[in-house]
Amino acid sequence: MQLMAIQCNVTEDDQVTGMARVVDELLMKYDATLFTLVNNARIADPGDFAFFCGTNMEVAKQVMEVNYFCMLHVTGQLFPLMMQTSTIQDDGMVSHPCTLKMSYVCDVSASPENSRSNTFTFAIEVWSDSLRIELKKIGIEVTKI
């Protein structure tokens, strides 16, 4: 088994679709399977909302774009390839793909001076929980780290 990392600027649609195309080509070339997707793109955005209220919405939008919407986009591009990867091994065990969502403590508990970060991390938390339920029936695991 070979582990391969592919760098991609998740804010560029053409890079995301190109990355998915490269993954598909590599899977075919090596007769391989895509078992794991690690979503770890993140922009830190600490700060107390009361002091930054309305001062820079573009930063808040960029943070939400990278930290949440890009995660959805990358997962959506690679999901069809993950659908093809459940396999039965020689010992009869079934191998299933999984998707890992990189997260941090704001996912489970709001913290002061992190109101904007708390927002997108909670969105990831809820989406990951929903995805875990939806994909369980087809054998794809969703794990938050």
Side-chain angles (χ1 to χ4, degrees):
M1 178 187 292
Q2 184 177 2
L3 179 65
M4 190 171 293
I6 300 173
Q7 185 173 341
C8 172
N9 181 343
V10 296
T11 64
E12 299 291 332
D13 287 343
D14 59 333
Q15 284 197 32
V16 174
T17 54
M19 174 268 309
R21 191 172 40 257
V22 166
V23 170
D24 191 29
E25 291 168 0
L26 288 168
L27 293 176
M28 288 190 292
K29 179 180 179 180
Y30 293 105
D31 191 28
T33 54
L34 177 63
F35 282 107
T36 304
L37 164 62
V38 178
N39 282 294
N40 66 344
R42 185 68 55 105
I43 296 175
D45 184 38
D48 189 328
F49 184 78
F51 294 111
F52 298 107
C53 184
T55 58
N56 196 344
M57 285 304 295
E58 290 307 310
V59 171
K61 289 177 184 178
Q62 181 186 23
V63 168
M64 195 66 160
E65 176 71 20
V66 170
N67 295 355
Y68 178 68
F69 290 111
C70 289
M71 183 179 287
L72 271 64
H73 188 205
V74 169
T75 302
Q77 288 292 311
L78 294 175
F79 183 74
L81 301 175
M82 295 188 86
M83 291 285 292
Q84 305 167 17
T85 59
S86 291
T87 59
I88 299 177
Q89 300 173 1
D90 293 337
D91 60 5
M93 297 294 292
V94 178
S95 295
H96 297 291
C98 70
T99 176
L100 304 175
K101 311 294 181 200
M102 303 304 279
S103 200
Y104 59 95
V105 72
C106 293
D107 288 344
V108 295
S109 176
S111 58
E113 299 175 355
N114 275 319
S115 55
R116 292 186 297 201
S117 292
N118 291 334
T119 302
F120 73 75
T121 54
F122 187 71
I124 293 168
E125 177 83 9
V126 173
W127 179 61
S128 297
D129 287 344
S130 296
L131 200 58
R132 180 182 306 104
I133 295 165
E134 292 172 10
L135 300 182
K136 183 177 182 179
K137 50 190 149 187
I138 58 173
I140 296 178
E141 297 177 24
V142 177
T143 304
K144 293 175 294 199
I145 299 176

